[in-house]
Amino acid sequence: MDKITLHVEGMSCGHCKAAVEKALKELAGVLGAEADVAAKTVAVTYDPGKVGRDDLAGAVAGAGYEVKD
């Protein structure tokens, strides 16, 4: 398992946090996601054999938020 922290723009409340976490956890290979609204980050634990950074960023974008490099 790998862990990555993504910088997410647009999160401003508990609903935002929940939406980002839910979108990531729905991906096959993601074991956990913990968003921090104040820091504008989400820490993701995932299986790199099943899912990659682009997949994670796509899930966040699909939820209406933007991953910054």
Side-chain angles (χ1 to χ4, degrees):
M1 292 302 136
D2 281 0
K3 190 167 188 176
I4 188 171
T5 299
L6 302 172
H7 297 277
V8 180
E9 288 296 318
M11 290 192 303
S12 61
C13 64
H15 174 1
C16 299
K17 171 182 165 60
V20 168
E21 291 173 351
K22 180 178 185 285
L24 288 165
K25 289 176 183 176
E26 288 178 348
L27 289 177
V30 172
L31 296 182
E34 184 64 36
D36 182 331
V37 174
K40 296 186 180 191
T41 61
V42 60
V44 186
T45 304
Y46 67 102
D47 179 346
K50 294 183 179 178
V51 65
R53 186 193 183 284
D54 289 344
D55 301 311
L56 302 174
V60 171
Y65 304 91
E66 183 180 0
V67 173
K68 294 285 190 179
D69 289 327

